């Protein structure tokens, strides 16, 4: 009973915390350039995650695994968040970014054969519906630029390719240590890119510090711990379905926290996108095997 009650609290709390990352990102890129935000986030998060990995005695990648973990980390951190944060800096609504991020299974499905997986007709239908949802969500965003939408595509590509790469080359690596390596590898790259593009400055120190504390402690640490807590107790499908509620939660939080408007087409797009994601997550169920009759003992 206690576990069930704890699960009932953990699930909606996790959705809110996951969605809040987009709000913190919106506030952060309003206080400093996107690469400066990423440099600070990755730097401080790497310290916290390394300490956590050592505390729980996580298994670190081997010398052969380490290069693959780094490549996956750069794709999932630098490319994904570099694209998404820069898009938010160009006034792409956080809910739209969350919806685009949620469509990563579409690209991952394109590499299904490479991963030895199959995609059902029902899932492809969900991918198409999800794409329609994105189109509706951005249809009435008159301030959106093609550059902002292209940056969302870059972020989606980074997340999808990074996921495929890690599944293909290091599928059994300890996620706790791997995430720490992702952050350690991404921090200096973000710093170099920020320096090369002249983005090592801050416009609003107070807002920058507040968003950074939230992103590091709440999103990178608490959210990560909650995610792993759920994965240890429930199957991955049940946990991943919680992410379907992220775009809607992000839209509501963005409306409450930073005043981003909730337009009718945006709401319709989020609803359609949610339906598409649910379809995309459902795999065809295999019929239960019929048990063979036990042999009769001969006496």
């Amino acid at each position: 009973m206690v576990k069930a009650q704890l699960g009932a609290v953990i699930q909606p709390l996790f959705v809110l915390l996951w969605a809040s990352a987009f709000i913190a990102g919106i506030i952060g890129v309003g206080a400093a350039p996107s690469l400066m935000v990423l440099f600070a986030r990755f730097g401080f998060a790497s310290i916290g995650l390394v300490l956590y990995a050592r505390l729980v005695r996580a298994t670190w990648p081997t010398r052969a695994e380490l290069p693959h973990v780094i490549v996956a980390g750069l794709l999932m951190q630098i490319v994904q968040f570099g694209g998404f944060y820069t898009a938010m800096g160009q006034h792409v609504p956080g809910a739209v970014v969350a919806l685009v991020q949620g469509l990563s299974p579409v690209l991952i499905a394109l590499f299904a054969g490479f991963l030895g997986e199959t995609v059902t007709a029902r899932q492809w239908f969900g991918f198409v519906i999800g794409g329609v949802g994105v189109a509706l969500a951005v249809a009435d965003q008159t301030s959106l630029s093609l550059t902002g939408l292209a940056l969302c595509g870059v972020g989606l590509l980074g997340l999808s390719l990074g996921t495929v790469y890690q599944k293909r080359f290091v599928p059994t690596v300890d996620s706790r240590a791997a995430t720490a390596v992702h952050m350690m590898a991404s921090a200096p790259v973000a710093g170099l890119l920020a320096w090369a593009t002249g983005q090592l400055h801050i416009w609003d120190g107070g807002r920058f510090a507040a968003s950074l504390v939230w992103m590091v402690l709440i999103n990178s640490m608490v959210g990560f711990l909650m995610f792993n807590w759920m994965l240890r107790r429930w199957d991955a499908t049940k946990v991943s379905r919680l992410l379907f509620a992220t775009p809607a939660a992000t839209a509501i939080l963005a409306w409450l926290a930073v005043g981003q408007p909730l337009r009718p087409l945006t709401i319709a797009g989020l609803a359609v996108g949610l339906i598409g994601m649910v379809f995309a997550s459902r795999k065809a169920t295999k019929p239960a095997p019929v048990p063979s009759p036990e042999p009769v003992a001969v006496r």
Side-chain angles (χ1 to χ4, degrees):
M1 180 64 70
V2 174
K3 289 184 178 180
Q5 292 175 343
L6 183 60
V9 173
I10 287 289
Q11 294 180 60
L13 181 59
F14 172 76
V15 170
L16 288 176
L17 293 184
W18 196 269
S20 73
F22 296 96
I23 311 306
I26 293 171
I27 295 173
V29 298
S34 57
L35 288 175
M36 179 63 190
V37 174
L38 290 181
F39 176 43
R41 174 180 176 172
F42 294 153
F44 284 106
S46 64
I47 296 172
L49 287 170
V50 167
L51 292 175
Y52 168 69
R54 292 181 65 87
L55 179 66
V56 298
R57 298 183 179 181
T59 302
W60 292 92
T62 64
R63 184 175 298 181
E65 293 173 330
L66 186 59
H68 295 302
V69 175
I70 290 174
V71 171
L74 292 177
L75 287 169
M76 287 192 282
Q77 303 297 331
I78 291 292
V79 179
Q80 178 193 183
F81 289 110
F84 287 149
Y85 276 38
T86 307
M88 287 190 288
Q90 297 198 8
H91 309 294
V92 177
V96 173
V97 176
L99 185 56
V100 171
Q101 186 192 60
L103 291 176
S104 60
V106 177
L107 289 188
I108 293 174
L110 297 178
F111 298 94
F114 182 66
L115 293 173
E117 300 174 357
T118 57
V119 182
T120 66
R122 179 185 294 169
Q123 287 178 296
W124 280 116
F125 175 74
F127 298 153
V128 173
I129 295 300
V132 172
V134 173
L136 286 174
V138 304
D140 64 346
Q141 304 290 338
T142 55
S143 63
L144 282 185
S145 65
L146 291 178
T147 303
L149 292 178
L151 286 167
C152 286
V154 170
L156 175 62
L157 188 64
L159 171 60
S160 303
L161 288 179
T163 302
V164 169
Y165 189 93
Q166 183 150 306
K167 282 187 175 182
R168 174 64 178 83
F169 293 104
V170 280
T172 60
V173 70
D174 190 315
S175 63
R176 299 165 298 182
T179 306
V181 172
H182 289 180
M183 297 295 178
M184 287 191 292
S186 299
V189 174
L192 286 173
L193 290 174
W195 172 77
T197 56
Q199 296 189 34
L200 282 176
H201 57 275
I202 300 171
W203 305 308
D204 188 330
R207 288 169 62 87
F208 177 79
S211 66
L212 182 62
V213 168
W214 188 271
M215 284 187 288
V216 172
L217 295 181
I218 303 301
N219 301 137
S220 296
M221 298 296 297
V222 176
F224 171 72
L225 293 175
M226 291 175 65
F227 190 73
N228 276 283
W229 184 90
M230 291 186 295
L231 283 178
R232 287 194 298 269
R233 288 158 176 80
W234 305 322
D235 60 76
T237 301
K238 179 177 180 179
V239 177
S240 65
R241 285 178 180 172
L242 293 175
L243 302 181
F244 297 159
T246 300
T250 302
I252 295 172
L253 288 177
W255 174 57
L256 294 173
V258 295
Q260 287 191 348
L262 275 175
R263 298 185 176 94
L265 274 181
T266 302
I267 297 173
L270 292 171
V272 172
L274 173 61
I275 294 171
M277 291 178 191
V278 171
F279 271 99
S281 73
R282 298 179 64 185
K283 295 186 178 181
T285 56
K286 297 181 180 180
V290 178
S292 57
E294 296 184 4
V296 178
V298 178
R299 295 182 183 272

